[in-house]
Amino acid sequence: MNRSFASSLLPSAPWWHPRAGHSLVIRGGRPLLGTWPVSGAKNAVLPLMVSTLLTPHLVTLHNVPASLDVAVLSALLRRLGAELHWSTTEAGLSVTICADRIHPGEIDGDLVARMRASVLLLGALLARCGEARLPMPGGDAIGLRGIDFHVAGLRAMGADIDLAGGMIHATARAGLKGADIRLPQPSVGATENLLLAAVLATGTTLIRNAAREPEIADLARCLIAMGATISGLGTHVLTVQGGTPVTGAVHTVMPDRIELGTLACAAAITDGELFLQPGRLDLLGAAGPVLERAGVELREGESGLIARRSKAGLSGTDVTTRPYPGFATDLQAPVMALLSTATGASAITETIFEQRFRHVDELRKMGANIAVRARTAVVRGVPRLQGASVTCTDVRAAAALVIAALGASDDSRLDGLDHLDRGYDRITEKLAACGAAIDRA
Ligand code: EPU
C-alpha cells in the first residue's frame, strides 16, 4: 500500500499502523501450536459500523478486528461527519461512534473503490438523510458483483436511484416506505442494505429469500438493541416494523467464522494443534463436516475449538460452495490449499462468484496439481508443496497462500499483502506467536 494512503487512515483509525515491508516471508514446515485468539468477524463489523449512521446517539462496538477494511470504513464514516473514539483493553479493540451530524455529500471514490461493503452506506444514508451519492463500490475482483438487488429493493421502498457515469445517486425526499421485497437470490449485502434501510422506513418491510449468514443476524441483534423491531433472524424471511427512531446501543461483534475455518486448515496442514478461541462447530456451518472429511479433527472445548490433523491424515473430498448454512465461498480457497496436500482427489465447485479461482495459478507455482474446468477445480493431492514467490489476489486467496506456505517445504514470499491485511487482524503477529517462522520484508 502506498504509504501516504496508509497514513491518511490514521486520524480515523489511530491503531492502524502502515506496515513495514511489501512482502511476507514464511519458512514452511513448522507446526502451529498454541491458543489462537479468533478476532471479531470482518463481514459482521462492516455492516455494524454502517448501522451507527442510523442514529444520532452513541453506538459502541466491542471486539472490533484491527483490519485494513475497518480502517478504510472508519475513514469513510469520518468524512461523512461521524466521530469515532477508539479504546483498547484486554478484551480487544472497541469503538464508540457518534453520527449526530451527518452530511451525505459525495463520498470519497478512492476509499469506496477499496471496499465492496461501502455499498451498505446507500441504505443507511438514504434512510437517515433521504439522499446518498457514492461511486460504484470496488472490492475483490472475484466476479461481476452487481448491485441490482440492492437497487431494486431500495426502489421498491420508494427511492429514486440514478446510475450514471460510475456513480450511484439515490434520493428519498419523502422518506422510505416499507415494502414486500423478494431477493432473486440470497445476497448477503442486499439483505444487509435493505435491513438497514427498513429500520427507519415507515411501515413494514418483508425481505424474502434473505441471506441467512450469521453476520446478518449479528447486525439484526445490534439493530434490535438500538430499538428496532425485527423478526425472523436466521431465517429466509426478515420482517422489520420500521419508522421508529433508533437509539444508541452497545454490541459485541461475533467471532470470525472464516478465520476459525482458515486456522483449522493451517493447524492441519502443519500437523500442529491450535485451540481456536472463541470457537464453536456450529459457526462453521457445512464447513465443519467438510473439514472433518478432509482429515481435520475438530473438538469443542469449553470456550473454543481444538483443531489438528487426524491420525489417518488428510484425504481428498468434494466441496461445493453455497449460501449459509452451506459451505462458505470464503473458505473455498483456504480449503483448496489444504486439499492440495491430501491423499487422493477433490472436486471443488464454486457457485457464488464467477472468478474465485485466481489463487489456483499461485498454488500451482508451489507445486499443487489443480485442473480447472468451468466452475470446478479438481485437486490431486501432492505429498508436499514447495515454497515459491506468489501474489495474493483477494482476501481469501491471501489466506490460502499463507496456509500453503506454512505447510511448504521451504521459504515462500507473498506479495499483494493489502489483501491479507484487509481481512485479518494482526495475522503476522498471531502466526508468529503460534510458532510460525514469518516476517514482513
Ligand atoms: N449479486 C448480484 N446482484 C446483487 C447482489 C449480489 O448479482 O445486487 C450476486 C453477486 O455477484 C454474487 C452473489 O450474488 O455472485 C452473492 O453475492 P452477495 O451479495 O451475497 O455477496 P456480497 O454481499 O458482495 C458478502 C461478503 C463476501 C462473501 C459473500 C458471500 C461482505 C463485506 N462480503 O459479499 O465476503 O464472499 O457475502 O458470502 O460481507 C470476503 O470476505 O472475502 C468476501 C468476499
Side-chain angles (χ1 to χ4, degrees):
M1 185 193 317
N2 157 331
R3 269 193 97 71
S4 74
F5 175 72
S7 307
S8 76
L9 299 176
L10 293 177
S12 30
W15 43 267
W16 175 255
H17 295 296
R19 301 290 208 269
H22 292 291
S23 306
L24 198 59
V25 177
I26 298 179
R27 171 155 301 165
R30 296 195 179 196
L32 288 184
L33 294 166
T35 297
W36 182 278
V38 176
S39 299
K42 156 187 170 294
N43 287 347
V45 72
L46 303 175
L48 286 167
M49 288 174 73
V50 173
S51 77
T52 66
L53 294 178
L54 294 177
T55 176
H57 300 279
L58 300 181
V59 178
T60 298
L61 300 173
H62 295 306
N63 199 30
V64 174
S67 67
L68 176 56
D69 266 7
V70 169
V72 170
L73 183 55
S74 301
L76 270 168
L77 294 182
R78 192 162 176 265
R79 304 253 176 111
L80 286 166
E83 287 174 27
L84 292 85
H85 300 280
W86 294 96
S87 59
T88 311
T89 63
E90 260 182 33
L93 190 61
S94 300
V95 63
T96 297
I97 302 180
C98 175
D100 62 344
R101 280 188 294 265
I102 290 298
H103 39 80
E106 200 163 301
I107 297 171
D108 187 296
D110 189 29
L111 293 173
V112 169
R114 289 174 185 268
M115 199 177 49
R116 165 82 181 175
S118 51
V119 72
L120 300 177
L121 295 170
L122 198 57
L125 287 176
L126 257 180
R128 173 90 185 274
C129 311
E131 180 170 17
R133 189 192 285 272
L134 69 153
M136 290 294 278
D140 288 330
I142 55 180
L144 293 174
R145 309 196 83 180
I147 58 160
D148 45 333
F149 309 160
H150 304 241
V151 169
L154 292 170
R155 281 184 175 146
M157 295 171 82
D160 284 317
I161 302 182
D162 185 36
L163 303 169
M167 292 293 296
I168 311 169
H169 185 206
T171 49
R173 302 273 179 228
L176 294 171
K177 294 179 191 56
D180 188 341
I181 300 162
R182 169 172 286 279
L183 294 176
Q185 68 187 73
S187 152
V188 173
T191 303
E192 291 166 346
N193 224 339
L194 298 176
L195 192 56
L196 288 164
V199 166
L200 297 187
T202 53
T204 304
T205 297
L206 277 118
I207 309 172
R208 300 181 196 270
N209 201 22
R212 292 193 286 160
E213 270 65 4
E215 291 76 15
I216 295 168
D218 204 39
L219 170 64
R221 276 191 293 274
C222 180
L223 293 170
I224 290 169
M226 289 161 77
T229 307
I230 304 169
S231 58
L233 273 62
T235 75
H236 273 313
V237 185
L238 289 168
T239 306
V240 186
Q241 311 288 345
T244 313
V246 283
T247 61
V250 177
H251 181 81
T252 299
V253 181
M254 66 172 282
D256 196 315
R257 64 194 168 96
I258 305 303
E259 181 179 340
L260 190 67
T262 300
L263 268 299
C265 294
I269 204 167
T270 62
D271 205 7
E273 178 170 318
L274 289 177
F275 181 51
L276 305 164
Q277 193 188 35
R280 296 187 320 268
L281 261 179
D282 67 299
L283 269 179
L284 291 172
V290 167
L291 289 173
E292 284 171 336
R293 281 203 315 270
V296 184
E297 201 178 286
L298 297 168
R299 199 155 35 88
E300 268 185 350
E302 209 166 275
S303 57
L305 205 55
I306 299 164
R308 65 172 175 221
R309 187 190 297 179
S310 73
K311 290 213 167 54
L314 300 176
S315 58
T317 187
D318 295 345
V319 186
T320 300
T321 64
R322 301 267 183 227
Y324 192 85
F327 181 85
T329 171
D330 293 344
L331 282 174
Q332 179 256 109
V335 164
M336 189 183 295
L338 177 75
L339 292 173
S340 297
T341 62
T343 306
S346 310
I348 302 178
T349 304
E350 172 60 55
T351 70
I352 309 291
F353 293 108
E354 304 85 1
Q355 292 163 28
R356 213 174 199 183
F357 278 150
R358 293 178 66 201
H359 43 280
V360 167
D361 282 342
E362 305 305 305
L363 290 172
R364 281 186 186 133
K365 288 180 192 164
M366 301 179 74
N369 179 350
I370 307 172
V372 176
R373 180 167 289 189
R375 289 191 156 202
T376 299
V378 175
V379 183
R380 292 191 169 75
V382 295
R384 190 117 201 228
L385 297 173
Q386 296 103 46
S389 284
V390 287
T391 302
C392 306
T393 50
D394 69 72
V395 179
R396 309 308 175 185
L401 295 177
V402 168
I403 292 169
L406 289 167
S409 57
D410 37 34
D411 286 10
S412 295
R413 178 178 285 267
L414 277 64
D415 291 321
L417 294 189
D418 279 5
H419 292 294
L420 190 64
D421 292 335
R422 279 188 52 202
Y424 298 92
D425 173 3
R426 293 167 293 129
I427 183 127
T428 315
E429 294 86 337
K430 282 158 79 173
L431 283 168
C434 290
I438 185 166
D439 243 320
R440 299 229 175 201

